[in-house]
Amino acid sequence: MARLTDRAFEILRAEVDKCAAADTVAGEVYRRMVIKRLEKLRSQNGTFASTEEIRDTFKDEFPNFSEQALKAAVKANRPPGLFGKIIFAGSLLGSAAGIIWLINLPFPLIRLPVAKTMPILLLPSFRSMDHNYRQAIALVEQSDQLVNKATAVADFDLGEIKAKQAQKHLDALPVWFLGYYPQTYCSFFGCSWRFTVDEFQAARKNVGRMEAQIFQQKNAFTQLNQVEQTLNAAKQQYQQAKTAADRQKATVNWQSAIDQLNQIPAETLAGETAKKTLKAAERDFQAMGGVATGSVQADNLIEAAKEFALSAAVAAKKPPHPAAQWEQIAELWQEGINRLKLIPVDNPGYLDAQTKLAEYQKNLGITQIRLEAEKDSAKALQEAKSLLANLQNDVNSQNPGKSLSQLQQIINQLESVKPGTTVYPESQKWLQSARKKQQEWQKN
């Protein structure tokens, strides 16, 4: 006789389908696992499955399973009067509850002799072993399904929970009793398992393997999230970069993120996702390459122009300077301007170059004004000196008016010397002397 009737199976399957439909994340996976257990129970021969045995097939996957449906299935899985017989048998055994509780304690010295002579008294222990064994195997299967057929990181989270639950049930199995097979219990309840050391170790290895697998998968997802953040930050940094140094730094970060994507284990789910991200990142990086090449050229020209501008600014410090030095400064500004003019309109660095170009042209104009002032002032001082030499040769002549006229010409030349030139201090000395001489001659 099957342990689960067809009628009970149909009632349970209908409720399982209903619960699975309500769970959009893992409903279908859970449905297949629960139906598989119910079919296995239906294919077994022996006593009818108890309420707890039926509940164990779905309680972890579908906690919202209808109690009404469960009761209907249990009722359909019991011949009339069976429930009363079970209650009667329970009342007969109730008087010996204390003794049974004692011999079922987890003490090998008590349990082993009983297991050899009256194993039926260890029925509660066997029942617990049966329950923990079934739960451990079922949870290992669930965890294996979630881990090896995962579609998102949430599957690994759920698989980790199931693996921990399986480990908990394995820990509840009496390790010291693994070599004993409860024949009496299994003759009544149709056990399909044996508590062997090999089987126990295999289950533990499966749980350990899945825990390591889950750790690797979740670690890969963490790595993927970090790399994606770095990649997005590098793209944004490149778009917002205003200097060559900033663009170069963003490019290095971008390439580093691509390298890190290649390092995510390909056998993980995150590795499969990383392949798509990597393909897009490399495409964008290659597209950026043409723009970056133009940017690098512009950056190089701008940097070269800045070097000329820096040299010009340093040379122009602490004026006044002789004309030769102002000419050199003007040449430096012109060289910087020439570099900036090489950057075409369609280059990404054109706007920055135009800003610098306006600044350098203004500085060049100031330098040229200073240069002309220096040249004119030096020329005026030299002419004043020449006139002064001629005046000294004619100072003894009998024409005072002519001497005053020559002295006025000298004063005019000296007054044309511009402030801020190298010859200005000297010209002021000559000018003061000439004015004093003019006053003396005018009195005479």
Side-chain angles (χ1 to χ4, degrees):
M1 183 179 294
R3 301 196 65 217
L4 186 66
T5 65
D6 292 340
R7 174 60 182 160
F9 176 82
E10 293 301 327
I11 294 173
L12 294 169
R13 182 168 64 179
E15 184 62 19
V16 167
D17 290 343
K18 181 179 178 181
C19 293
D23 188 351
T24 58
V25 178
E28 183 58 27
V29 175
Y30 288 162
R31 177 188 173 280
R32 289 196 298 267
M33 291 190 292
V34 173
I35 294 298
K36 182 178 179 181
R37 295 182 202 134
L38 292 174
E39 287 177 345
K40 183 177 180 180
L41 198 60
R42 185 171 61 166
S43 66
Q44 293 176 350
N45 293 324
T47 58
F48 291 100
S50 66
T51 302
E52 287 304 314
E53 285 181 301
I54 296 175
R55 191 193 302 276
D56 287 343
T57 62
F58 61 77
K59 71 176 184 179
D60 289 321
E61 290 75 17
F62 301 120
N64 59 336
F65 196 98
S66 173
E67 284 293 321
Q68 185 176 358
L70 176 61
K71 291 178 181 178
V74 171
K75 185 176 180 180
N77 199 48
R78 290 286 183 271
L82 180 60
F83 183 73
K85 293 179 181 179
I86 294 175
I87 295 298
F88 176 73
S91 64
L92 291 178
L93 294 174
S95 59
I99 297 176
I100 293 176
W101 173 82
L102 178 63
I103 63 177
N104 277 274
L105 290 175
F107 300 126
L109 292 178
I110 299 176
R111 293 170 62 94
L112 287 177
V114 177
K116 293 178 180 178
T117 57
M118 298 184 68
I120 192 64
L121 297 179
L122 296 177
L123 185 63
S125 294
F126 294 141
R127 178 69 184 89
S128 175
M129 291 165 63
D130 188 16
H131 169 74
N132 286 312
Y133 171 82
R134 292 177 187 274
Q135 288 299 310
I137 297 302
L139 289 167
V140 168
E141 291 177 359
Q142 294 172 29
S143 181
D144 187 66
Q145 287 281 338
L146 289 166
V147 172
N148 292 312
K149 295 184 179 180
T151 58
V153 68
D155 294 336
F156 297 116
D157 292 333
L158 187 57
E160 184 177 20
I161 293 174
K162 296 296 182 182
K164 289 180 179 178
Q165 291 175 348
Q167 185 64 60
K168 183 178 179 180
H169 285 291
L170 286 172
D171 292 339
L173 293 174
V175 180
W176 59 270
F177 206 51
L178 293 177
Y180 290 87
Y181 180 62
Q183 296 179 354
T184 304
Y185 173 82
C186 292
S187 65
F188 284 103
F189 295 99
C191 299
S192 59
W193 47 268
R194 288 180 180 273
F195 285 114
T196 64
V197 175
D198 291 340
E199 186 179 24
F200 182 78
Q201 293 297 337
R204 280 197 177 279
K205 287 180 180 179
N206 283 337
V207 173
R209 173 182 56 80
M210 281 185 291
E211 287 178 343
Q213 215 173 337
I214 291 169
F215 176 80
Q216 182 186 28
Q217 293 281 1
K218 294 180 72 174
N219 188 57
F221 266 107
T222 300
Q223 184 179 357
L224 176 60
N225 290 335
Q226 293 175 346
V227 173
E228 287 179 339
Q229 291 177 4
T230 301
L231 182 61
N232 293 332
K235 290 181 180 179
Q236 186 176 6
Q237 182 183 8
Y238 186 85
Q239 293 171 353
Q240 298 176 351
K242 297 186 181 299
T243 65
D246 290 341
R247 279 189 285 272
Q248 184 177 6
K249 184 178 180 181
T251 302
V252 171
N253 292 338
W254 197 332
Q255 183 61 61
S256 176
I258 291 176
D259 294 339
Q260 292 176 36
L261 283 173
N262 279 312
Q263 295 174 5
I264 297 177
E267 65 275 8
T268 63
L269 182 60
E272 296 178 6
T273 306
K275 290 179 182 177
K276 301 176 183 178
T277 306
L278 177 63
K279 186 175 181 181
E282 288 178 336
R283 182 190 64 237
D284 294 343
F285 192 76
Q286 290 174 358
M288 182 271 295
V291 178
T293 301
S295 296
V296 170
Q297 293 174 351
D299 291 339
N300 290 339
L301 289 171
I302 291 174
E303 289 301 318
K306 286 181 179 179
E307 289 298 322
F308 283 111
L310 178 61
S311 298
V314 171
K317 285 183 177 181
K318 297 181 180 180
H321 301 300
Q325 187 167 343
W326 284 120
E327 288 177 351
Q328 182 183 18
I329 294 170
E331 289 176 359
L332 290 170
W333 284 120
Q334 188 61 55
E335 287 296 330
I337 290 171
N338 293 340
R339 299 300 187 280
L340 294 175
K341 286 182 176 180
L342 293 174
I343 300 174
V345 177
D346 58 351
N347 192 284
Y350 179 76
L351 183 59
D352 190 18
Q354 290 301 301
T355 302
K356 293 292 181 184
L357 183 60
E359 178 187 347
Y360 293 177
Q361 286 177 333
K362 178 182 177 181
N363 291 337
L364 175 60
I366 294 172
T367 301
Q368 290 173 338
I369 292 173
R370 300 294 293 270
L371 172 62
E372 291 302 318
E374 185 66 31
K375 287 181 176 180
D376 292 344
S377 297
K379 182 179 179 181
L381 179 60
Q382 187 61 40
E383 289 179 356
K385 287 181 177 180
S386 297
L387 289 172
L388 185 60
N390 294 332
L391 177 61
Q392 288 176 348
N393 293 330
D394 297 338
V395 72
N396 296 322
S397 68
Q398 299 299 320
N399 190 351
K402 181 180 179 181
S403 297
L404 283 172
S405 176
Q406 290 177 342
L407 185 59
Q408 185 61 49
Q409 289 180 0
I410 294 171
I411 291 173
N412 292 341
Q413 288 292 330
L414 292 172
E415 286 178 342
S416 68
V417 176
K418 303 293 183 182
T421 60
T422 56
V423 296
Y424 182 74
E426 184 181 358
S427 70
Q428 293 302 298
K429 293 179 180 179
W430 286 105
L431 179 60
Q432 184 179 6
S433 177
R435 286 174 176 169
K436 183 178 181 181
K437 182 64 67 176
Q438 185 183 43
Q439 292 175 356
E440 289 178 358
W441 287 358
Q442 287 174 345
K443 289 179 180 179
N444 297 329

